[in-house]
Amino acid sequence: MDPPAAKRSRGCPAGPEKRDAGAGAERGRGRPEALLDLSAKRVAESWAFEQVEERFSRVPEPVQKRIVFWSFPRSEREICMYSSLGYQPPEGEHDARVPFTRGLQLLQSGAVDLVLQVGFHLSGSVREPGGPGEPERLYHVSISFDRCKITSVSCGCDNRDLFYCAHVVALSLYRIRHARQVELRLPISETLSQMNRDQLQKFVQYLISAHHTEVLPTAQRLADEILLLGSEINLVHGAPDPTAGAGIEDTNCWHLDEEQIQEQVKQLLSNGGYYGASQQLRSMFSKVREMLRMRDSNGARMLILMTEQFLQDPRLALWRQQGAGMTDKCRQLWDELGALWVCVVLSPHCKPEERAGWLQLLRTWDKLDMCPLEEGNYSFDGPSLQPTAAPRPGSEEDEAAASRSRHTVFGRALQAGELRWSDAHLQRILASDSYGPSLTGTMGGDKPTFDPQGRPLWLGEPFPTACARVDTLRAHGYPRQALRLAGAIVNTLRLQRRHQLESYKQQKKELLQKGSTCITNTEGWVGHPLDPIGCLCRALLEACRLEEETLDLYPDSGPEKRKVTYQHVPVPGNPGESYLALALEVALLGLGQQRALPEGLYAQDKVVRNEEQLLALLEEVDLDERLVQVLRKQAELLLEGGPFSGFGEVLFRESVPMHSCAHYLFTALLPHDPDLAYRLALRAMRLPVLETAFPAGEPHPTPLDSITNNRFPRWFILGHLETRQCELASTMLSAAKGDPTWLHAVLGSIQENIHSPALLFKLAQDACKTATPASAPPDTTLLGIALELGLQVMRMTLDTMTWRRREMVRWLVSCATEIGPQALMNIMQNWYSLFTPVEATTIVAVTGTTHATLLRLQLDTPQREELWACARTLALQCAMKDPQNCALPALTLCEKNHAAFEAAYQIVLDAAAGGLGHAHLFTVARYMEHRGLPLRAYKLATLALAQLSIAFNQDSHPAVNDVLWACSLSHSLGRHELSAIVPLIIRSIHCAPMLSDILRRWTVSAPGLGPLGARRAAKPLGTDRAPLCQLLDAAVAAYITTSHSRLTHISPRHYGDFIEFLGKARETFLLAPNGHLQFAQFLDNLKQTYKGKKKLMLLVRERFG
């Protein structure tokens, strides 16, 4: 029977030996540590106790006690690591959610009691106060440990969290802080070996009696097996001892609850749509990095457990089935998982068998159909770092091959599995800060190992791979070695850049004549899956951080973390260099690299996100004179970098824009070197993919639709890039306020490079706001630039039109008003290239001549008249171009000038002959009546009626009210006007109810008695005389025609409506002298013609006889 884990079997000594009770006496303060303790510490750290017993036949009890004493963990950092969250909890919940903090409070409150160490087993009780109205709770805690690591824990609280509970923390901290106060006993097997048979029997019986309900069945079973001579238990030498420590073959690692880790990752993935779930998963990744940094083997164990759960995520199958991509949050988690595996596999201190096991797992996962692929078209065999020649521009065949070979997120880790740390040159770089040619002479081989200054280089592998080595060294707790390798990589980059500049100078004339270039970096370093620039910067900045040395309870505290302070730390062997300056140089080198935009939405979004992360790191660094000089030098190099720099004079069409980087450099350099800041920012304003898509002078439709090309990927993030471009331009405009030279330079760049009307309008608004502060006089130059940008927006959107045009036009008028009357008159005089006729008359002319505008301009009488004349001219021009929509606004604007008003009226009359619709003519006619010009209103109303036609069944026609108004107007003017309009009514109106209504209105009062007419008749007109008799005849005829038309297709459900219609017809018939007879004849005709409709005719007889 195999003994349980951590309970190895121990042989029984022949007899008891005398023990020294004073071995654990406390050492006096200030005295040197005893040799016994020094030796016991070393043995306790690295030897299993079984190995000690096998090596030495007799181990004195004092020695055993010191080894047992020193075998418990001595540092609180590991306890903190295994009992703290990986993320910052909400404010006020630190105590409630962080086991380490709670455990520390329990310890300080004296809650730990009855602490006993028996061999390699620690036990104790922890009292925890209850809540309001609840009793105090007592928890029994036991801890097993071996070689300064806790190997198992047990607590009565039944904690099911990821790490140790607060009670385990309290007991562990008690043992570390008050080690001399803990009662110490040797393993229980040593105590039992001192007892004779009677003592052993008494011991067993008392033990069974004390715990008979729990152990009696087990005790009886063991007794039966021992009494059976051939039983398995009698074949095993010795017996298990849970307090004797681990065996030689047992794995020595900290206790990790694997089942709980799997369960928690599974639960968090199922809640993947929530921000908190992603944060907690990232905190678990941070915990893995923390373990790797402590060189704790549980880091790899925990990562394996998490990876298995990630691969079992049911959403992977769903996304694959639907052909949809995973969410951004999930993709970021997978990226981090892949990067962590690179660090694990590339470990500089792992055993070969460990690496082989990891690689076997990775190959298995890599072959799964559900395993996500790496996003973007990044190569796995990119160009190596070469100091003597510029990288060869990537050919189309290379790019196509790279896009065809697809790799999973574990591909980088599998590739890292082939790397080794055994290179002699690499070992010397890592081993010394002063490694140089003088120490080794020449290394031999084709590649140089030092630059001309004698600083070491690291060549022969791709830059991202070299940076992955730096990240791995940091992750595994080798910060000094990581800095040394980072320094060698920076030396190599500098030498490579020098040769690139020399190469460009030789080809500069040819490239400038050509005006474009092929890409020299098919894959960028910013946004790369291995994040090489970020790895290098973080390694260099970490060496410069000023922080208090405290336990890191919250390694990933997010935006609430305290501000980091950096200081210059000199680079050994390089006088005048500092790691802080190197970090700034590397970040700008990566951000300023001219590189192709990768394929795919996520890969492009990752480029933007990595840029923001790097710039956020740089924003944390306070610039001193030393760093400003670095900025200046790097800015000049970027401007001179040609096709290797995103700020170079020639750009590849698909290269990533430099707007974000330029924004940082501009704001940083502006106080120190404005000329350089503007030159750099103006160079960065380019967006080459749009420049080549829209040659100068051509209209610019939606940019996103214009760049689709079979040879290039779609720019999914184009909108974001254009916004960044706009932010850079806005920053320059604000900074250049008061400097006309730079303002006009920025304006020229904006007009050349920004193609979005919405963004140009935003720039114009920002410039106007900046130019007109509330407490200072306006900046006329900047105001003029704002107006010029607004005019450009008007010209760009004149034909396409957008829903924001009205807002844009109103703003433009207000901006011109801020400048002065001449600007306002200029936009009125040139309205045809800026506005539609409707916009010009209803917004520009009206707003420009309001009382508030005139007061704002502070004009004298001649100037006001000049502005009014300009507005009237605009109105007449618009009315001629679009009389249908602009005639009425033009008349309104010209009211105060007789000549202009007459001209506008004539335009309306001419337009009526040319087809101006009856609705617009009626509108203008009503306006004329309102202005007290009834005869002109009558004239326009007759023109409108001449164009109108209302059929017999259109009694709800939109023009009904207009017709009734026109009839009322003509009646009020007099008999002559009424007589003239009757023929028009008869010709245009065929609807019987309308004609009947008009007829009744005209018979109520005498014509000419209305408010607009003179008294021309004493009594109302009769229907038996002209002109009303013609209208009556037309109404009667309309009723007869309409009745026959309705009866042709009438249904029984409409019989009631028809009877009501006949009732109205009879009222009209009776207006005639012989109307009664006519109506009777009409009914007889209906009865005869439609006698088949018996029910209807019956209803007619019942109603009308």
Side-chain angles (χ1 to χ4, degrees):
M1 182 178 65
D2 294 334
K7 297 180 181 180
R8 72 180 167 84
S9 299
R10 302 196 71 201
C12 300
E17 298 180 8
K18 189 175 181 180
R19 294 335 193 240
D20 179 9
E26 187 173 353
R27 179 168 50 91
R29 179 174 298 181
R31 294 171 54 189
E33 199 163 10
L35 183 59
L36 172 60
D37 280 315
L38 291 172
S39 305
K41 277 186 180 180
R42 297 292 296 172
V43 171
E45 288 173 0
S46 52
W47 282 25
F49 197 64
E50 184 183 16
Q51 188 176 2
V52 176
E53 292 179 319
E54 288 188 357
R55 179 73 179 270
F56 306 101
S57 58
R58 289 181 65 255
V59 181
E61 182 176 322
V63 176
Q64 290 190 48
K65 280 193 172 183
R66 300 322 291 163
I67 293 174
V68 169
F69 177 85
W70 290 113
S71 290
F72 195 84
R74 303 163 207 164
S75 169
E76 296 181 9
R77 184 167 293 277
E78 285 85 358
I79 308 298
C80 174
M81 181 173 70
Y82 278 93
S83 58
S84 61
L85 308 173
Y87 60 96
Q88 182 79 21
E91 192 65 30
E93 296 187 18
H94 292 188
D95 297 342
R97 298 188 58 183
V98 183
F100 184 84
T101 307
R102 287 177 52 212
L104 188 58
Q105 290 177 345
L106 289 172
L107 173 67
Q108 293 170 346
S109 65
V112 183
D113 197 11
L114 303 177
V115 182
L116 174 65
Q117 179 179 341
V118 179
F120 295 86
H121 184 274
L122 182 71
S123 62
S125 299
V126 180
R127 298 185 310 278
E128 185 169 23
E134 296 180 0
E136 182 180 76
R137 288 164 291 184
L138 182 67
Y139 298 106
H140 298 286
V141 184
S142 62
I143 299 173
S144 296
F145 52 91
D146 173 56
R147 282 168 275 184
C148 300
K149 295 176 183 175
I150 292 176
T151 56
S152 69
V153 299
S154 174
C155 179
C157 70
D158 293 327
N159 172 62
R160 296 300 298 166
D161 201 355
L162 200 60
F163 299 118
Y164 303 162
C165 67
H167 315 108
V168 171
V169 171
L171 182 60
S172 301
L173 294 181
Y174 185 93
R175 172 61 177 77
I176 293 173
R177 297 188 179 188
H178 309 292
R180 307 285 177 177
Q181 300 174 19
V182 175
E183 187 177 358
L184 178 64
R185 295 286 185 269
L186 290 177
I188 193 66
S189 54
E190 292 290 335
T191 304
L192 295 177
S193 67
Q194 301 175 44
M195 299 182 185
N196 57 30
R197 182 190 177 286
D198 292 338
Q199 290 172 321
L200 283 171
Q201 182 169 355
K202 183 176 291 190
F203 171 78
V204 172
Q205 288 183 216
Y206 267 98
L207 182 62
I208 293 173
S209 176
H211 304 283
H212 64 277
T213 57
E214 294 91 358
V215 305
L216 187 57
T218 304
Q220 186 60 56
R221 178 177 56 80
L222 292 174
D224 292 342
E225 290 187 20
I226 290 174
L227 292 174
L228 187 62
L229 293 179
S231 63
E232 184 179 358
I233 197 171
N234 285 319
L235 300 178
V236 177
H237 176 69
D241 182 359
T243 66
I248 298 175
E249 301 300 327
D250 292 341
T251 303
N252 180 233
C253 60
W254 286 80
H255 168 71
L256 192 68
D257 191 338
E258 298 187 357
E259 181 182 348
Q260 184 59 25
I261 288 175
Q262 292 173 318
E263 185 61 33
Q264 186 152 347
V265 173
K266 182 178 180 180
Q267 181 180 354
L268 290 172
L269 286 173
S270 67
N271 298 331
Y274 298 99
Y275 176 75
S278 298
Q279 283 295 96
Q280 291 189 51
L281 286 168
R282 284 195 178 90
S283 78
M284 295 179 73
F285 286 140
S286 299
K287 189 61 68 176
V288 171
R289 284 191 176 271
E290 191 180 352
M291 291 176 177
L292 294 179
R293 191 163 55 249
M294 301 291 288
R295 302 179 196 175
D296 187 338
S297 60
N298 278 340
R301 281 177 65 201
M302 185 171 172
L303 189 59
I304 291 172
L305 297 171
M306 294 184 69
T307 306
E308 289 172 344
Q309 292 304 310
F310 266 73
L311 288 167
Q312 293 174 20
D313 187 351
R315 292 178 299 171
L316 293 178
L318 182 63
W319 286 327
R320 189 168 183 268
Q321 181 182 0
Q322 295 175 344
M326 64 176 65
T327 63
D328 279 1
K329 288 181 182 177
C330 193
R331 169 56 67 183
Q332 291 172 28
L333 292 171
W334 274 102
D335 283 352
E336 195 161 352
L337 188 71
L340 268 175
W341 271 113
V342 172
C343 287
V344 169
V345 171
L346 199 51
S347 168
H349 61 251
C350 71
K351 299 175 183 177
E353 56 269 21
E354 286 181 317
R355 180 181 282 111
W358 296 330
L359 291 174
Q360 183 59 41
L361 277 174
L362 288 169
R363 291 189 191 99
T364 303
W365 296 333
D366 186 72
K367 294 174 184 176
L368 295 176
D369 292 338
M370 301 303 170
C371 188
L373 299 177
E374 181 180 280
E375 291 283 337
N377 52 331
Y378 292 98
S379 168
F380 268 59
D381 299 304
S384 299
L385 288 171
Q386 299 293 339
T388 55
R392 178 180 60 87
S395 65
E396 295 179 15
E397 291 77 9
D398 292 341
E399 294 178 29
S403 63
R404 284 194 300 269
S405 61
R406 305 293 288 165
H407 301 274
T408 71
V409 292
F410 300 121
R412 303 280 172 185
L414 287 169
Q415 185 185 43
E418 302 171 4
L419 302 176
R420 296 294 179 267
W421 297 89
S422 54
D423 182 87
H425 179 57
L426 176 61
Q427 288 293 324
R428 291 188 176 96
I429 290 175
L430 300 180
S432 172
D433 289 324
S434 56
Y435 175 43
S438 59
L439 299 180
T440 59
T442 58
M443 292 294 297
D446 298 331
K447 58 183 181 181
T449 52
F450 301 96
D451 66 5
Q453 288 76 34
R455 296 174 295 197
L457 306 173
W458 178 239
L459 306 168
E461 64 186 16
F463 173 69
T465 305
C467 293
R469 289 185 183 271
V470 175
D471 190 39
T472 299
L473 289 168
R474 282 184 63 235
H476 287 275
Y478 298 96
R480 294 303 308 168
Q481 290 83 348
L483 279 177
R484 291 163 184 161
L485 181 56
I489 294 172
V490 173
N491 297 336
T492 310
L493 289 177
R494 285 173 168 175
L495 193 59
Q496 179 175 287
R497 173 189 266 190
R498 193 178 311 155
H499 287 286
Q500 286 175 348
L501 290 175
E502 292 173 359
S503 170
Y504 169 58
K505 288 177 182 177
Q506 298 173 2
Q507 309 172 24
K508 183 174 182 178
K509 185 176 181 181
E510 176 187 349
L511 287 173
L512 291 179
Q513 288 176 348
K514 188 178 178 182
S516 63
T517 180
C518 55
I519 195 68
T520 55
N521 301 293
T522 54
E523 61 180 39
W525 295 337
V526 176
H528 192 279
L530 293 177
D531 189 18
I533 296 295
C535 292
L536 214 54
C537 282
R538 283 188 287 270
L540 295 167
L541 287 174
E542 190 177 54
C544 307
R545 293 178 67 162
L546 278 174
E547 286 187 312
E548 296 180 7
E549 188 64 27
T550 58
L551 289 178
D552 195 4
L553 293 180
Y554 319 112
D556 185 20
S557 56
E560 298 178 6
K561 63 184 178 182
R562 59 186 178 275
K563 177 175 171 57
V564 180
T565 305
Y566 296 98
Q567 63 177 350
H568 284 284
V569 175
V571 179
N574 293 296
E577 295 268 17
S578 81
Y579 287 122
L580 194 56
L582 289 185
L584 182 60
E585 181 178 342
V586 166
L588 295 178
L589 186 65
L591 290 167
Q593 177 197 34
Q594 185 175 161
R595 57 201 185 271
L597 191 73
E599 295 178 6
L601 170 59
Y602 178 77
Q604 294 176 13
D605 185 62
K606 188 175 181 181
V607 169
V608 173
R609 192 166 56 251
N610 276 179
E611 278 187 353
E612 292 172 350
Q613 290 168 350
L614 282 170
L615 291 172
L617 278 177
L618 297 185
E619 293 284 355
E620 291 180 347
V621 179
D622 296 326
L623 298 177
D624 56 15
E625 185 57 35
R626 191 173 179 181
L627 294 179
V628 169
Q629 292 304 319
V630 173
L631 279 180
R632 281 178 168 163
K633 181 180 178 182
Q634 295 306 311
E636 293 287 0
L637 289 172
L638 288 171
L639 288 171
E640 299 168 3
F644 304 98
S645 166
F647 293 87
E649 293 176 274
V650 287
L651 281 181
F652 174 60
R653 175 189 172 185
E654 290 285 317
S655 61
V656 177
M658 297 286 109
H659 308 135
S660 297
C661 179
H663 190 278
Y664 168 78
L665 286 171
F666 178 78
T667 54
L669 284 170
L670 188 63
H672 310 282
D673 193 339
D675 181 73
L676 178 58
Y678 279 107
R679 284 194 294 122
L680 192 81
L682 290 171
R683 181 76 64 82
M685 278 290 292
R686 299 169 295 181
L687 191 52
V689 70
L690 294 185
E691 291 171 14
T692 53
F694 304 123
E698 290 190 6
H700 305 284
T702 305
L704 191 58
D705 298 334
S706 64
I707 61 170
T708 305
N709 192 292
N710 294 331
R711 296 179 55 203
F712 300 109
R714 284 190 64 193
W715 283 50
F716 296 99
I717 58 170
L718 184 59
H720 176 84
L721 297 177
E722 286 189 293
T723 303
R724 292 292 190 196
Q725 183 188 37
C726 176
E727 290 173 359
L728 175 61
S730 180
T731 302
M732 285 196 288
L733 281 176
S734 299
K737 179 181 177 182
D739 190 332
T741 303
W742 283 122
L743 278 175
H744 285 97
V746 174
L747 173 63
S749 179
I750 290 171
Q751 292 176 323
E752 180 182 357
N753 295 297
I754 296 184
H755 307 284
S756 166
L759 294 177
L760 282 170
F761 181 54
K762 183 180 183 305
L763 278 175
Q765 288 178 305
D766 292 346
C768 183
K769 186 176 180 180
T770 304
T772 54
S775 58
D779 186 305
T780 54
T781 306
L782 188 53
L783 263 179
I785 285 175
L787 180 65
E788 183 60 37
L789 290 174
L791 295 175
Q792 183 177 348
V793 173
M794 292 295 103
R795 287 188 286 267
M796 290 173 68
T797 58
L798 180 60
D799 297 325
T800 57
M801 300 298 290
T802 72
W803 61 273
R804 296 188 65 188
R805 275 282 297 189
R806 291 185 66 84
E807 177 192 355
M808 293 174 176
V809 174
R810 290 183 187 280
W811 176 87
L812 189 71
V813 174
S814 67
C815 182
T817 303
E818 291 290 339
I819 295 176
Q822 192 58 49
L824 196 54
M825 287 189 287
N826 282 340
I827 65 172
M828 289 184 183
Q829 291 164 358
N830 298 291
W831 70 268
Y832 46 84
S833 64
L834 302 172
F835 315 109
T836 64
V838 174
E839 291 171 344
T841 52
T842 61
I843 302 177
V844 178
V846 172
T847 309
T849 54
T850 60
H851 182 66
T853 302
L854 297 176
L855 285 178
R856 175 72 177 167
L857 293 172
Q858 297 180 349
L859 304 179
D860 55 24
T861 303
Q863 290 175 323
R864 288 193 178 197
E865 184 52 40
E866 183 182 6
L867 183 60
W868 269 109
C870 190
R872 288 192 292 268
T873 303
L874 176 149
L876 292 174
Q877 291 173 348
C878 293
M880 292 181 66
K881 189 170 184 179
D882 186 6
Q884 185 169 339
N885 296 307
C886 299
L888 183 58
L891 286 166
T892 306
L893 283 166
C894 298
E895 285 178 352
K896 296 180 180 179
N897 185 281
H898 178 72
F901 189 81
E902 290 297 320
Y905 176 63
Q906 188 59 45
I907 290 172
V908 176
L909 295 178
D910 295 342
L916 185 63
H918 61 81
H920 295 90
L921 286 170
F922 275 128
T923 303
V924 177
R926 284 177 181 265
Y927 164 79
M928 287 296 184
E929 182 194 32
H930 180 70
R931 296 298 304 162
L933 302 169
L935 293 178
R936 291 189 176 186
Y938 174 78
K939 172 70 173 174
L940 293 172
T942 58
L943 293 174
L945 283 171
Q947 297 184 15
L948 184 63
S949 176
I950 299 179
F952 71 92
N953 58 349
Q954 290 183 306
D955 48 356
S956 60
H957 192 281
V960 168
N961 289 331
D962 288 328
V963 172
L964 295 176
W965 168 83
C967 293
S968 174
L969 175 67
S970 61
H971 183 268
S972 66
L973 289 174
R975 181 167 184 161
H976 177 73
E977 287 78 4
L978 189 147
S979 299
I981 204 172
V982 167
L984 290 175
I985 296 290
I986 295 172
R987 186 169 65 246
S988 301
I989 312 298
H990 306 286
C991 179
M994 276 192 68
L995 291 171
S996 177
D997 190 14
I998 294 170
L999 187 62
R1000 282 185 174 80
R1001 288 170 182 259
W1002 280 350
T1003 58
V1004 171
S1005 60
L1009 295 178
L1012 298 177
R1015 176 176 290 274
R1016 296 181 184 177
K1019 59 180 180 178
L1021 295 174
T1023 57
D1024 56 341
R1025 289 179 297 172
L1028 296 192
C1029 61
Q1030 295 97 326
L1031 185 60
L1032 177 58
D1033 292 342
V1036 168
Y1039 270 115
I1040 294 171
T1041 304
T1042 304
S1043 297
H1044 285 290
S1045 177
R1046 293 182 67 170
L1047 285 171
T1048 305
H1049 302 291
I1050 195 169
S1051 63
R1053 61 178 179 160
H1054 295 132
Y1055 286 172
D1057 293 339
F1058 183 73
I1059 296 300
E1060 294 298 324
F1061 178 76
L1062 287 180
K1064 293 179 180 178
R1066 182 173 64 176
E1067 293 174 2
T1068 304
F1069 273 77
L1070 294 178
L1071 292 175
N1074 58 347
H1076 183 75
L1077 180 60
Q1078 289 182 4
F1079 187 69
Q1081 292 174 349
F1082 170 56
L1083 288 181
D1084 291 340
N1085 181 264
L1086 289 181
K1087 293 172 186 176
Q1088 184 64 31
T1089 306
Y1090 303 99
K1091 59 185 176 181
K1093 301 182 184 296
K1094 296 180 181 180
K1095 185 176 180 181
L1096 177 61
M1097 293 302 109
L1098 179 62
L1099 293 173
V1100 170
R1101 289 189 188 96
E1102 289 178 356
R1103 177 74 178 271
F1104 304 105

